[in-house]
Amino acid sequence: MNSTPDAVPDLLDKVTNLAKRRGFIFPSAEIYGGFRSTYDYGPLGVNMLRNVKQAWWRSMVQMRSDIVGLDAAILGPPAIWAASGHLETFTDPLVDCKRCKERWREDKIAGVCPNCGSTEFTEPRAFNLMFKTQAGPVEGEGATAYLRPETAQGIFTNFANVLATVRKKPPFGIAQVGKSFRNEITPQNFVFRTREFEQMEMEYFVPPDDADEWYRYWIQTRLAWYIDLGIPEALLRLHEHAPEDLSHYSRGTTDVEFAYPWGWDELEGVANRGDYDLTQHAQASGVALDYFDQATNERYTPYVIEPAAGATRAMMAFLLAAYDEDIVNDEKRTVLRLDWRLAPYQVAVLPLSKKPELEDVSREVLEVLQPHFMCDYDVTQAIGRRYRRQDEVGTPYCVTVDFTTLEDRAVTVRDRDTTEQARVAIDELLASLRERTGQS
Ligand code: GAP
């Protein structure tokens, strides 16, 4: 195992337990004993996952004029996957342990069965990772469909549609967020590798001569995105693939790696896909997928630079990086130091007691904040316990309404990280929270 900086002991177990206990991530179909490493996102998890995707969409689409969005179908005909190369080459080497009969991905087990320790395996066979299904009521070849194993192909097949409908010219990009499916041989490590997961991919179309420059640009831009959202630089590194390790379409790939509890591993891949995909789909479909540059009178097939991230995997990395334990008032506390943009709840409104007059003002405060922040409202338990519960799920600010509020129309704002408290007038609360979150 690689060594990684500053690991909390048993971090993966702690985060997995917290995720289950506090409603971030549940094992899927749990009342039926679970289902093969699939997961459901609970009330807090769905907020956080949406925040991860929103932060990505904001940086990729909203804040740029050179990238547009797309949401393509998950089901696709075999023709797409034949042209993309996935039918032939999207395989992993599968071996069976001769002693215990468990199946493994040969390249992940270093010759020793993780189940029984045997070193005797069957010959590796190529196992295609795509989920095959049928579209419509009639079985047979014509009905075969595949669930997409990456969102990227929907972007390439829509290249001409997008070009014809928006006024973009290379360099420009198409971004997409959505589910992808891979029949992974050994899904593992919580939501790191699952069979159903969410991707955030962007295909950036550039003149071939500029491809290398854009490749370097996107590597740095994507690395900076994770740092901006709170992952310490020491937990991130870049890893450039050796030529013999490249995917079938790639002219160069650099992974953004994260220091997971089990070692450095992939968080996101940035690839120079060359003109592979557009050329393949143009040949197979007979539809021209190129660009005519009126300035130079030249027609060319753009190269593609692809930053391909996992939303669910990124969420896991943000959780791991944010998890912390410290001592407050001589008591151990668990705190998720999540960036406010990612936290499931950004503000918790906490009336000191259930007295109706306090609840009335608290609801008033809640209504002021809800249009601007994702808020929780909690009236149960002692206030100290409630602070701890909010710390544990990463809520950056707690707003406490107490009996003095009834006289001075002010509330207490408590900061998750410093635990410092400040008295703020209700009339100034929204402005104060906007300032604390860097929005004004
Ligand atoms: N279009 C290129 C592509 O799909 P990839 O490296 O296979 O490249 C991109 O996938 C990202 O998608 C990965 O870096 C990872 O974050 C996420 N990902 C891939 N397979 C996954 C799986 N089985 N479970 C969770 N996330 C996965």
Side-chain angles (χ1 to χ4, degrees):
M1 188 186 288
N2 299 329
S3 63
T4 54
D6 285 340
V8 174
D10 304 322
L11 179 61
L12 187 58
D13 282 349
K14 285 177 176 165
V15 168
T16 308
N17 290 339
L18 190 152
K20 166 89 199 294
R21 188 162 41 79
R22 298 304 311 275
F24 284 82
I25 302 176
F26 305 127
S28 198
E30 203 182 7
I31 60 169
Y32 293 103
F35 179 62
R36 295 168 182 270
S37 145
T38 49
Y39 292 90
D40 298 337
Y41 289 72
L44 278 75
V46 71
N47 280 356
M48 183 171 171
L49 186 57
R50 287 175 76 109
N51 291 343
V52 171
K53 293 184 283 187
Q54 171 56 22
W56 187 88
W57 197 261
R58 182 180 161 84
S59 76
M60 282 294 188
V61 181
Q62 185 179 341
M63 300 298 284
R64 305 185 64 111
S65 52
D66 56 346
I67 302 179
V68 292
L70 181 80
D71 191 358
I74 288 172
L75 279 176
I80 292 181
W81 310 106
S84 70
H86 283 80
L87 273 179
E88 198 170 331
T89 56
F90 197 57
T91 58
D92 276 341
L94 176 75
V95 290
D96 292 331
C97 170
K98 284 191 171 169
R99 194 196 294 163
C100 73
K101 313 293 181 211
E102 280 288 319
R103 292 203 154 155
W104 302 105
R105 221 175 110 174
E106 188 197 29
D107 56 330
K108 293 283 176 194
I109 57 172
V112 182
C113 175
N115 189 40
C116 73
S118 165
T119 52
E120 300 228 5
F121 295 94
T122 55
E123 282 300 307
R125 6 188 233 295
F127 174 75
N128 196 294
L129 299 183
M130 282 195 295
F131 280 99
K132 191 176 181 178
T133 185
Q134 76 174 57
V138 184
E139 282 188 39
E141 260 318 292
T144 300
Y146 290 90
L147 303 191
R148 65 182 178 198
E150 59 173 18
T151 62
Q153 297 305 321
I155 295 178
F156 301 129
T157 55
N158 277 292
F159 175 77
N161 281 338
V162 173
L163 212 54
T165 49
V166 296
R167 292 166 175 274
K168 298 290 171 204
K169 59 185 219 132
F172 83 100
I174 305 176
Q176 179 166 211
V177 174
K179 288 225 167 166
S180 293
F181 300 82
R182 297 182 189 179
N183 198 1
E184 301 281 2
I185 298 169
T186 43
Q188 62 194 158
N189 291 331
F190 195 31
V191 296
F192 175 78
R193 185 179 299 114
T194 49
R195 296 197 171 106
E196 175 176 349
F197 55 98
E198 249 181 307
Q199 288 189 307
M200 309 184 288
E201 297 197 291
M202 197 275 292
E203 311 301 322
Y204 201 70
F205 301 94
V206 301
D209 287 348
D210 301 344
D212 199 55
E213 198 182 317
W214 282 111
Y215 174 55
R216 305 275 152 216
Y217 166 88
W218 280 110
I219 292 168
Q220 292 307 325
T221 303
R222 294 302 305 145
L223 178 66
W225 185 79
Y226 292 101
I227 296 169
D228 176 54
L229 284 168
I231 298 190
E233 260 182 273
L235 298 185
L236 294 165
R237 73 176 191 189
L238 297 174
H239 165 72
E240 184 151 17
H241 288 211
E244 62 272 22
D245 295 333
L246 293 176
S247 311
H248 61 277
Y249 52 74
S250 177
R251 291 168 180 245
T253 298
T254 296
D255 288 343
V256 178
E257 291 193 334
F258 176 73
Y260 297 91
W262 61 89
W264 291 101
D265 215 333
E266 180 180 341
L267 180 55
E268 160 162 1
V270 182
N272 176 354
R273 298 180 74 123
D275 60 2
Y276 176 83
D277 303 275
L278 291 180
T279 304
Q280 288 288 109
H281 286 300
Q283 271 170 10
S285 67
V287 176
L289 299 175
D290 51 20
Y291 177 74
F292 179 69
D293 189 340
Q294 286 177 336
T296 59
N297 251 346
E298 271 176 336
R299 183 172 290 283
Y300 66 89
T301 303
Y303 274 27
V304 171
I305 309 302
E306 174 194 68
T312 39
R313 190 178 290 186
M315 173 169 157
M316 177 174 172
F318 285 122
L319 283 174
L320 289 166
Y323 185 95
D324 197 10
E325 291 167 353
D326 65 0
I327 306 285
V328 173
N329 299 337
D330 295 332
E331 230 184 85
K332 197 177 123 184
R333 84 166 169 162
T334 298
V335 53
L336 285 186
R337 300 191 191 279
L338 289 172
D339 186 281
W340 74 273
R341 291 166 289 180
L342 302 181
Y345 294 120
Q346 294 155 336
V347 183
V349 176
L350 311 174
L352 196 64
S353 92
K354 284 184 184 159
K355 289 258 160 45
E357 58 270 38
L358 283 196
E359 285 227 51
D360 287 348
V361 191
S362 302
R363 296 259 169 217
E364 193 190 311
V365 168
L366 190 63
E367 277 168 28
V368 170
L369 299 180
Q370 270 174 330
H372 308 276
F373 294 102
M374 184 64 76
C375 298
D376 192 18
Y377 183 80
D378 186 8
V379 284
T380 56
Q381 296 185 325
I383 193 70
R385 299 272 306 265
R386 279 185 272 165
Y387 284 154
R388 293 290 186 279
R389 282 178 61 76
Q390 296 297 338
D391 290 343
E392 199 184 37
V393 299
T395 310
Y397 301 105
C398 287
V399 171
T400 308
V401 177
D402 56 28
F403 288 99
T404 321
T405 307
L406 301 177
E407 288 152 29
D408 66 359
R409 292 209 36 98
V411 291
T412 302
V413 175
R414 174 185 177 273
D415 180 295
R416 173 196 70 201
D417 293 333
T418 62
T419 73
E420 271 168 24
Q421 304 190 6
R423 200 78 187 156
V424 178
I426 292 177
D427 287 348
E428 285 156 27
L429 181 60
L430 180 58
S432 164
L433 288 170
R434 290 180 73 88
E435 195 184 326
R436 283 164 186 260
T437 51
Q439 295 183 88
S440 58

